[in-house]
Amino acid sequence: MKISYKWLKELVDLSDISPELLADRLTKSGLEIEDIKYQAQGTNLVIGKVISAIKHPDSDHLQVTKVDIKNEILDIVCGAKNCREGIKVVVAKVGAKLPGFEIKQSKIRGVVSNGMLCSLSELGVDIKKQSEAELNGIKIIDDEIEIGREDVLEILGLDDVVLEAKPTPNRADLFNMKGIALEVGAIFNRKTFLDKLEFLPVKNDLDFIVQLNSDKVASYSALMIKGLKVKESPKFIKDRLLSAGISTINNLVDIGNYVMLELGQPFHIFDYKKLNNNVLSVETGCNCEFEALDENTYAILENDIVIKNNQKIVALAGVMGSNDSKVDEESSDVLVEAAVFDNYSVRLTSKRLNLNSESSLRFIKGIDPNVYSEAISRLAFLMKEYGCAKEVVGVKTIVKKPFKETEIEISLNYINDLLGTEFNQTEILEVLNSLNFNPVLNGEIFKLKIPSYRLDIKIKQDICEEIIRIKGFSKLKTNNTLSMVTVGGLNNSQKIIRKTREILNGYGLDEVITYTLIDKKLKEEDLLIDPSLSYEIISPLSEKRRYVRQGLMGSVLECVSYNQARKVKNINIFEISSFSNKSEKYTRLAIYLSDNYLASKINKVNIKHDFYTLKSILLSYLKELGINSNRLEFKQNNKDTAHFYPYKSGIIYLDKKEIGILGSIHPTICEKYDIEESVYLEINLDLIFECKKEKVVFKPLDRFPSSKRDIAILVKADINASSIIETVEKSDKLVQSVEIFDIYNGIGIKEGYKSVALSIVFNSKDNTLSEEELNNAYQKIEFNLINKLEAEVRG
Amino acid sequence: MDIQNLKIVFDQKIQAIQNIEKLNELKIEYTSKKGLIQGLMQEMKNLSNEEKRSFGQKVNEFKEEVLKQIELKEKLLKQAELNHRINNDKIDITLDSYNFNRGNIHPLNLVVKEIEDLFISMGFEVVEGSEVESDFYNFERANTPLNHPARDMQDTFYINKELLLRTHTTAIQTRVLDERETLPIKVICPGKVYRKDDDDATHSHQFMQIEGLVVGENLSVSDLKATLQKLADKMFKNGREIRFRPSYFPFTEPSFEVDVSCHICNGKGCNTCKNSGFIEVLGSGMVHPKVLEDAGFDATRYSGFAFGLGVERIAMLKYGIDDIRNFYVNDLRFNRNFKRFE
């Protein structure tokens, strides 16, 4: 909403209130002013007459002028081509402040200049509002204007200031000048001049039938005016419409818009002669086409409110009139509609057809349900005055839903308790009066009647907001009286997520956050989940954002691809995200590793991330959380060989329950995302949140020394490490730990076999192990390896 | 040889010794069972008893002296050897070999963590909720009327008539209000939210919010203001001035927009605050009585306040980031910029 300062000044007392002060207070009271635009600016300006203009001795394009400003004759050097003897001009005297600069006495190529002859641009006038001539030279003033006058901006008609306001969605009353005047009156406690507006009362006796056949219209008035003359609008109307950003058409249309801007009631004007009979009906439920006055044809749906005349749609309520009932240059008799339509319906229609106008905007925000009669009288007055109307015939008003005044009762204590303030009764009464809430004090209680233009005021809390915004927020205390003692903190899963980040950061992994909505391509990478369970957006922004993801791989690989393309180093990343699908909610962690774990050329160290670093990170991470690796199992991946190498990946089980997958990414997937071959893990964190964690307790240290023995065995190549270790561990209770330190299948080893070297540590908590005890245990191990794994003991 | 001469010779020899081996040889030469000192003892049998005593004493004194000197010499030699070794073991300390890089938490989570910790210290719990939410908890319970523009298909990602991607973390609050039966409630609710905006420098269809909710007895706007003062100080260093402006949110009444004095210019006016001295940071208000009543709380007896902020906006203001898309592109060079919250 653009507010003309000059116009507002006629509606409310703004003496001593500058546009800047006004903007500041309005903003602080809830009406945000986003910009203050001066049409033109300048101090120390005066109208002068060029009495001589001669060429500058030292320049081809400058002229040396003598300018008469009544009390003085100034020598001014001017560079404008249109500067010549005899014209009247705007003179900025020495000391004048213009937008962006100040005028000082100066010498221009050796000639003294005591001021400047101004162009409109130098006064800060928008170039779009200037003529070709004005843009190319100094402004030439009408010869009738006396020299020496200092009210230059008024003479130019450029003395207005426009404030760009952005009302909050609930303040529909701030989309018209009357509402703003009332608001300013309340904030500054100033008188409004609304009682000075002139009206022409019209009787509700028009011989015309209005039928309201829809419950989406609250009231409808049809005003008939005859004998109008279409012409240009008077200057003040044009100026004010332009300042509000509304283009001018002719007096009939402009007056309608003017009253809408002034009082907030939108109008639609029909050419009466183009109507077929004296009946208008408001309806919904049509399914047809409609040719609007913009000459486009629109499809009308059941929920659209339409105005019909003799079975024909003549207007789409609040949005646009029909082409064959519109006013034109020849119109003389008109029927003016002033109605209150359902704002939701108007919004749907306007949005669907992409038809937005100043009228539809106001209907959508919600208009004052009681302003129509005042607006009609105001329109009638202006039509008579500036539309040369011969006869205001009358109006027909039908009210379907009468306006019910909101009544609120509120006590002083309630106000002070909710706000945490210490206002007294007199202060509150003053604010309530300034807002026209008609307060009546009944004991401790204020009884209020809310005016019809404040549709946003419904409950006691609304009143509190009004009080504090008018009194000013500086009245609010900030001493914290919040005395409810509570214990805060993170819950178990939140703690684990934080810990996860810390641990993985420690391994050099960076966290990423990617989008939840993904496309078909990325969706194919949702691991270990039924793809049909994913949610789909009804009408997505684009195909790229159609599906709600069920896994992280697609998003993470896309991120990797982006970074690899930009040669970013150390792309080792993780993401944690929660998910919802048609059957459950869950949280997952993804880890992607590609670069070095540890590298130094100087020290000839280069440990690349691979399956084993990934697995080690997982085990170490889980151990930190209190989950020992003996509760984990890694089984042959027979679930997803589309995304992973079949024999370089595995399904992860925790306490016998599947929690995820890890492995080397399949080459076709790497190719699909244009990334290097690398390793990836995705696990479900919910089981990790819930599962039992090792207790943190003191375990006595070993009192007796341990003994170590190595053993080398020959086993079939497909016997895996975990089964060898398990066999050894379970052989004797003296076995404390088992480590595989070498695997060999080269020369000297028969086809299909491998040699595995193990280091076994024995320990007892009761005594130092004797040679006999050791041998005994060792023999059991040999026995089990031979019998259970068909191993051949090599030494 | 008499003691005197042996002493002189010993002093000369030990003086000349330069390493431990030679010192050990000397030690053996003098103090072993067949050594020179033992040899002196042999001479004792030729002496009278009285002479024996005084001679024996002298030999013992001499032996002690020899051992003492050898011990001293050994210390000196070891010290010299150590000095030699460490003085000749040199590396170029200006050389860098390994590059240990600790990974980074995502900058948005960095901000979230900081805000969570502040409120945890004030006794708040952290609640997260679900990103796929019902229309009911996202809108209906947040007092957003059916005809509110936010409930249009055009503005919200609907999955079906009942389900949607939550448009604000208020959806978490409405659930908390519904699930809790006892007061007070003090929760802070961070999370991802979604709106149907085309992505550009200042808009993102996915972003993060944090909202706080307090419900109990005798809560006023002043309590809200005091809480937000602490938040502003934490986010943008101490001594921030906060300014309330009336606003409109369906969930709260009264509702306030909260501006914080600019952390760059301290309120004098600069590019960041567009010369206003203040930055719009928060939305807040007193919980609408209908919201409380719908959740089964007596709104005449209890009240509450709520506030919310955009995590991206805070990060952008704090670090001078000019494009919101940076947070979701995850160019690691960007992500790694934000190591600490300061």
Side-chain angles (χ1 to χ4, degrees):
Chain A
M1 171 75 189
K2 292 181 166 137
I3 305 168
S4 157
Y5 180 80
K6 235 170 117 178
W7 187 359
L8 188 62
K9 217 169 169 171
E10 289 185 18
L11 299 175
V12 61
D13 178 11
L14 285 183
S15 45
D16 307 324
I17 300 174
S18 68
E20 287 76 17
L21 177 62
L22 180 63
D24 184 55
R25 288 291 299 275
L26 283 173
T27 299
K28 284 177 179 162
S29 311
L31 177 60
E32 191 181 349
I33 302 298
E34 295 184 304
D35 199 11
I36 303 174
K37 275 202 181 104
Y38 281 82
Q39 285 183 327
Q41 262 176 305
T43 62
N44 242 350
L45 301 177
V46 61
I47 300 294
K49 184 173 183 170
V50 179
I51 51 175
S52 81
I54 53 169
K55 203 182 119 348
H56 189 291
D58 235 10
S59 163
D60 286 339
H61 68 277
L62 295 176
Q63 295 184 72
V64 181
T65 67
K66 282 191 186 301
V67 184
D68 183 1
I69 58 165
K70 195 171 175 187
N71 298 327
E72 217 180 328
I73 290 172
L74 300 174
D75 294 313
I76 295 175
V77 178
C78 180
K81 279 182 191 152
N82 64 342
C83 177
R84 60 186 184 272
E85 193 183 308
I87 58 171
K88 284 189 177 170
V89 292
V90 176
V91 181
K93 294 191 285 186
V94 170
K97 283 185 179 140
L98 302 181
F101 61 103
E102 198 181 324
I103 302 297
K104 290 175 187 148
Q105 193 192 50
S106 62
K107 267 189 178 178
I108 299 174
R109 297 204 183 178
V111 179
V112 172
S113 183
N114 286 317
M116 184 174 82
L117 307 186
C118 301
S119 70
L120 290 183
S121 295
E122 280 152 347
L123 297 173
V125 177
D126 189 346
I127 52 168
K128 279 177 265 171
K129 290 182 178 153
Q130 296 181 42
S131 68
E132 189 78 4
E134 285 168 341
L135 278 172
N136 288 324
I138 52 173
K139 175 67 182 170
I140 298 172
I141 304 291
D142 217 332
D143 206 38
E144 291 153 26
I145 308 293
E146 304 149 39
I147 59 169
R149 274 179 68 173
E150 292 180 343
D151 54 343
V152 174
L153 298 181
E154 285 92 86
I155 293 167
L156 292 170
L158 294 171
D159 56 335
D160 202 0
V161 184
V162 176
L163 281 71
E164 290 253 17
K166 189 180 157 198
T168 50
N170 57 331
R171 292 298 302 273
D173 61 307
L174 297 179
F175 282 92
N176 62 71
M177 294 302 287
K178 176 189 164 189
I180 288 170
L182 287 164
E183 174 80 358
V184 172
I187 293 170
F188 289 94
N189 204 8
R190 292 283 176 97
K191 239 177 67 187
T192 69
F193 307 132
L194 294 167
D195 52 346
K196 300 218 167 90
L197 292 179
E198 290 175 282
F199 296 93
L200 178 66
V202 192
K203 276 191 181 165
N204 186 8
D205 62 357
L206 184 67
D207 182 15
F208 196 89
I209 296 169
V210 172
Q211 298 169 337
L212 305 187
N213 300 328
S214 165
D215 59 357
K216 289 180 175 166
V217 53
S219 73
Y220 195 101
S221 302
L223 166 72
M224 193 184 288
I225 304 173
K226 286 188 169 172
L228 291 157
K229 218 172 146 184
V230 177
K231 56 178 186 177
E232 210 183 320
S233 297
K235 188 173 179 314
F236 81 94
I237 289 185
K238 285 207 293 184
D239 282 352
R240 288 173 179 186
L241 289 180
L242 288 173
S243 71
I246 297 175
S247 51
T248 64
I249 295 163
N250 58 45
N251 55 346
L252 300 194
V253 177
D254 292 354
I255 289 168
N257 283 333
Y258 183 82
V259 178
M260 174 182 73
L261 270 182
E262 192 175 64
L263 302 175
Q265 172 68 53
F267 297 97
H268 180 69
I269 307 176
F270 297 105
D271 186 329
Y272 180 57
K273 287 176 183 162
K274 293 178 184 170
L275 294 180
N276 285 328
N277 60 25
N278 272 357
V279 183
L280 281 182
S281 67
V282 181
E283 296 179 14
T284 44
C286 300
N287 239 322
C288 57
E289 289 196 331
F290 165 69
E291 195 195 339
L293 54 78
D294 65 358
E295 293 178 0
N296 287 321
T297 302
Y298 297 95
I300 305 301
L301 301 181
E302 282 178 11
N303 285 324
D304 297 326
I305 313 168
V306 295
I307 320 300
K308 281 188 173 175
N309 171 250
N310 195 24
Q311 300 305 313
K312 238 183 116 186
I313 298 177
V314 287
L316 196 47
V319 176
M320 204 176 258
S322 74
N323 199 28
D324 48 17
S325 66
K326 70 178 176 190
V327 287
D328 55 36
E329 303 301 304
E330 311 298 320
S331 300
S332 66
D333 300 350
V334 297
L335 197 73
V336 184
E337 161 200 296
V340 180
F341 299 115
D342 172 53
N343 55 349
Y344 185 44
S345 304
V346 174
R347 182 162 65 80
L348 290 183
T349 305
S350 141
K351 207 158 181 185
R352 188 187 77 241
L353 303 176
N354 199 17
L355 290 173
N356 305 302
S357 64
E358 293 287 332
S359 296
S360 66
L361 168 89
R362 284 169 176 78
F363 275 116
I364 291 166
K365 299 285 174 197
I367 56 173
D368 177 353
N370 257 6
V371 80
Y372 62 86
S373 65
E374 184 187 348
I376 286 165
S377 307
R378 178 71 175 146
L379 183 93
F381 171 81
L382 292 173
M383 284 290 194
K384 188 116 195 178
E385 204 75 2
Y386 305 105
C388 315
K390 285 206 183 93
E391 189 193 356
V392 175
V393 187
V395 65
K396 185 76 185 179
T397 296
I398 302 289
V399 179
K400 184 150 182 150
K401 293 178 193 166
F403 168 69
K404 265 194 252 140
E405 205 168 43
T406 303
E407 295 185 6
I408 297 175
E409 295 188 356
I410 190 168
S411 70
L412 180 63
N413 280 345
Y414 181 86
I415 293 168
N416 280 328
D417 285 350
L418 185 82
L419 295 172
T421 48
E422 286 158 4
F423 294 124
N424 63 37
Q425 213 167 54
T426 322
E427 286 175 289
I428 299 294
L429 209 54
E430 192 181 276
V431 175
L432 294 172
N433 270 316
S434 75
L435 289 161
N436 302 313
F437 287 175
N438 309 302
V440 176
L441 196 55
N442 187 349
E444 293 284 292
I445 308 284
F446 297 101
K447 290 193 165 186
L448 311 175
K449 285 184 177 170
I450 309 302
S452 61
Y453 56 86
R454 290 302 301 272
L455 293 173
D456 58 311
I457 304 290
K458 293 180 192 117
I459 54 174
K460 288 191 285 189
Q461 285 80 353
D462 293 316
I463 303 297
C464 297
E465 176 168 347
E466 293 299 300
I467 305 271
I468 194 65
R469 73 180 188 90
I470 300 294
K471 294 301 288 181
F473 287 91
S474 57
K475 298 281 193 300
L476 281 181
K477 290 180 289 182
T478 39
N479 52 330
N480 201 347
T481 53
L482 193 60
S483 57
M484 305 179 302
V485 177
T486 49
V487 176
L490 299 171
N491 64 25
N492 175 50
S493 57
Q494 290 160 350
K495 279 183 196 157
I496 289 179
I497 286 177
R498 277 207 189 179
K499 184 112 189 160
T500 303
R501 288 196 189 107
E502 278 168 27
I503 296 169
L504 297 180
N505 283 162
Y507 282 109
L509 274 59
D510 289 306
E511 185 182 27
V512 298
I513 299 178
T514 54
Y515 292 127
T516 301
L517 292 174
I518 56 171
D519 61 6
K520 212 175 158 197
K521 173 186 162 190
L522 265 58
K523 185 178 185 292
E524 287 167 3
E525 273 66 78
D526 285 348
L527 300 175
L528 302 176
I529 198 101
D530 176 357
S532 70
L533 287 177
S534 80
Y535 284 126
E536 193 178 333
I537 299 300
I538 298 178
S539 52
L541 269 174
S542 69
E543 282 310 310
K544 216 160 161 42
R545 309 272 167 244
R546 177 177 283 281
Y547 300 99
V548 180
R549 68 180 176 187
Q550 299 192 78
L552 286 163
M553 192 185 212
S555 311
V556 166
L557 295 190
E558 194 177 54
C559 168
V560 168
S561 176
Y562 175 95
N563 280 287
Q564 278 187 1
R566 281 155 190 80
K567 307 252 185 302
V568 175
K569 283 189 182 151
N570 295 321
I571 307 171
N572 303 315
I573 57 176
F574 71 98
E575 179 164 10
I576 301 167
S577 183
S578 57
F579 298 87
S580 296
N581 66 17
K582 290 172 191 162
S583 87
E584 57 180 336
K585 295 183 195 304
Y586 52 97
T587 306
R588 282 186 178 190
L589 161 71
I591 297 178
Y592 169 93
L593 303 174
S594 67
D595 278 287
N596 295 319
Y597 170 64
L598 182 67
S600 162
K601 281 187 181 158
I602 292 271
N603 293 312
K604 306 199 173 37
V605 174
N606 188 359
I607 305 170
K608 274 194 94 67
H609 273 302
D610 62 7
F611 180 90
Y612 295 110
T613 59
L614 178 60
K615 189 178 166 191
S616 298
I617 287 173
L618 174 69
L619 294 178
S620 149
Y621 154 63
L622 292 176
K623 194 165 185 182
E624 287 280 307
L625 296 182
I627 302 167
N628 281 344
S629 49
N630 57 16
R631 291 166 61 189
L632 290 158
E633 274 179 280
F634 294 84
K635 290 189 184 164
Q636 166 82 40
N637 170 19
N638 48 19
K639 295 208 163 186
D640 184 347
T641 49
H643 294 95
F644 296 95
Y645 272 83
Y647 302 109
K648 283 168 81 177
S649 60
I651 306 291
I652 311 162
Y653 294 83
L654 168 63
D655 299 336
K656 313 270 182 225
K657 283 178 233 154
E658 180 183 305
I659 58 163
I661 188 165
L662 90 167
S664 299
I665 304 172
H666 200 286
T668 54
I669 297 294
C670 294
E671 198 178 324
K672 182 174 172 186
Y673 288 89
D674 194 17
I675 57 173
E676 287 164 23
E677 288 201 17
S678 39
V679 288
Y680 181 84
L681 163 156
E682 192 162 320
I683 58 171
N684 188 319
L685 290 181
D686 299 276
L687 286 167
I688 290 170
F689 298 151
E690 293 155 16
C691 79
K692 215 180 101 224
K693 311 293 185 301
E694 303 304 320
K695 286 226 168 69
V696 182
V697 286
F698 168 71
K699 279 185 210 137
L701 303 174
D702 293 339
R703 284 173 61 198
F704 302 99
S706 57
S707 306
K708 199 182 105 183
R709 291 253 175 124
D710 290 351
I711 181 170
I713 55 170
L714 196 67
V715 287
K716 282 195 183 128
D718 60 358
I719 301 281
N720 60 28
S722 66
S723 56
I724 296 173
I725 289 173
E726 200 187 318
T727 304
V728 175
E729 277 176 345
K730 287 188 175 165
S731 295
D732 195 284
K733 64 177 191 333
L734 295 180
V735 175
Q736 192 180 37
S737 66
V738 187
E739 189 192 358
I740 292 177
F741 67 90
D742 191 41
I743 296 173
Y744 178 71
N745 59 2
I747 300 161
I749 303 297
K750 55 185 169 182
E751 184 73 24
Y753 282 79
K754 63 185 173 188
S755 164
V756 179
L758 301 152
S759 178
I760 307 165
V761 177
F762 300 90
N763 189 270
S764 163
K765 60 182 195 309
D766 304 323
N767 57 306
T768 304
L769 291 173
S770 67
E771 198 64 17
E772 200 191 333
E773 284 174 301
L774 271 177
N775 285 339
N776 202 3
Y778 190 77
Q779 274 165 16
K780 281 194 215 164
I781 291 168
E782 275 192 346
F783 180 83
N784 282 336
L785 288 170
I786 292 163
N787 287 294
K788 293 189 175 163
L789 302 178
E790 295 169 27
E792 205 177 290
V793 178
R794 307 179 76 210
Chain B
M1 221 190 280
D2 64 14
I3 293 179
Q4 204 55 39
N5 282 337
L6 268 183
K7 214 174 187 173
I8 290 166
V9 175
F10 176 79
D11 285 348
Q12 281 168 352
K13 279 188 176 171
I14 199 166
Q15 197 100 88
I17 282 175
Q18 292 300 333
N19 60 53
I20 297 276
E21 288 78 37
K22 285 274 186 300
L23 186 67
N24 284 337
E25 283 169 19
L26 185 72
K27 192 178 176 181
I28 291 165
E29 186 186 351
Y30 276 78
T31 63
S32 69
K33 283 180 182 168
K34 288 175 185 169
L36 294 171
I37 293 173
Q38 197 56 40
L40 283 175
M41 288 306 215
Q42 301 295 323
E43 291 174 22
M44 272 226 289
K45 50 192 164 190
N46 306 328
L47 298 176
S48 68
N49 279 352
E50 241 168 68
E51 279 167 326
K52 266 183 192 167
R53 258 183 75 190
S54 95
F55 182 77
Q57 202 177 345
K58 278 183 185 162
V59 171
N60 274 335
E61 276 170 15
F62 174 54
K63 190 176 177 181
E64 269 168 37
E65 170 72 16
V66 164
L67 286 170
K68 205 171 136 195
Q69 283 209 40
I70 288 174
E71 195 184 340
L72 192 69
K73 184 76 182 184
E74 192 180 345
K75 259 189 192 164
L76 284 171
L77 285 175
K78 278 191 175 163
Q79 188 61 48
E81 197 183 13
L82 184 63
N83 282 348
H84 177 81
R85 185 156 61 86
I86 62 178
N87 284 328
N88 287 288
D89 197 355
K90 296 177 181 173
I91 59 165
D92 179 357
I93 57 158
T94 64
L95 181 73
D96 299 324
S97 176
Y98 300 97
N99 261 321
F100 292 129
N101 286 312
R102 200 184 149 80
N104 267 296
I105 179 173
H106 191 279
L108 294 177
N109 283 335
L110 190 67
V111 176
V112 169
K113 182 170 175 274
E114 204 66 21
I115 298 174
E116 281 178 357
D117 285 346
L118 169 70
F119 283 97
I120 287 171
S121 78
M122 295 195 269
F124 283 62
E125 290 167 70
V126 180
V127 183
E128 283 151 326
S130 165
E131 289 159 39
V132 172
E133 188 47 277
S134 66
D135 185 78
F136 183 73
Y137 282 106
N138 192 77
F139 289 129
E140 197 72 32
R141 273 292 164 85
N143 195 31
T144 312
L146 193 62
N147 58 6
H148 193 278
R151 289 180 82 164
D152 282 5
M153 280 306 193
Q154 284 95 328
D155 297 308
T156 299
F157 291 110
Y158 274 94
I159 289 163
N160 54 44
K161 269 194 162 172
E162 282 87 39
L163 286 179
L164 45 79
L165 292 185
R166 69 180 173 207
T167 60
H168 47 196
T169 38
T170 307
I172 308 175
Q173 302 190 26
T174 57
R175 284 228 180 234
V176 167
L177 282 170
D178 228 27
E179 285 158 12
R180 304 276 165 109
E181 277 161 10
T182 55
L183 294 177
I185 293 172
K186 280 163 81 180
V187 292
I188 188 90
C189 312
K192 294 172 190 166
V193 299
Y194 305 85
R195 294 198 191 153
K196 234 168 158 179
D197 278 324
D198 284 314
D199 295 340
D200 61 29
T202 53
H203 296 85
S204 180
H205 74 276
Q206 172 178 333
F207 57 103
M208 283 181 100
Q209 281 188 329
I210 294 193
E211 287 188 30
L213 170 72
V214 178
V215 182
E217 275 178 289
N218 301 324
L219 289 168
S220 72
V221 180
S222 294
D223 296 312
L224 168 66
K225 196 177 178 192
T227 308
L228 295 183
Q229 178 70 54
K230 292 190 166 59
L231 177 60
D233 285 345
K234 180 78 175 176
M235 288 297 99
F236 300 106
K237 69 195 181 215
N238 286 338
R240 294 302 88 199
E241 192 185 323
I242 63 172
R243 186 173 82 180
F244 275 46
R245 279 183 291 119
S247 189
Y248 170 73
F249 310 109
F251 183 72
T252 50
E253 188 61 54
S255 303
F256 312 104
E257 205 81 63
V258 182
D259 303 334
V260 173
S261 62
C262 180
H263 58 295
I264 304 285
C265 62
N266 269 325
K268 288 187 200 84
C270 66
N271 278 341
T272 302
C273 60
K274 290 176 193 145
N275 285 319
S276 69
F278 279 86
I279 302 170
E280 198 178 309
V281 175
L282 289 146
S284 69
M286 302 303 289
V287 180
H288 198 290
K290 187 168 184 311
V291 174
L292 290 175
E293 295 285 351
D294 283 350
F297 293 107
D298 180 357
T300 60
R301 199 173 146 202
Y302 302 109
S303 55
F305 62 77
F307 53 88
L309 52 82
V311 178
E312 282 83 352
R313 180 162 166 76
I314 299 287
M316 289 170 87
L317 283 169
K318 225 176 141 53
Y319 301 113
I321 299 163
D322 59 359
D323 194 326
I324 194 169
R325 287 169 294 197
N326 281 318
F327 295 111
Y328 295 98
V329 163
N330 293 292
D331 188 317
L332 297 180
R333 293 166 297 183
F334 171 84
N335 290 29
R336 286 169 186 159
N337 265 314
F338 310 99
K339 297 207 177 280
R340 294 174 309 281
F341 188 94
E342 284 169 339

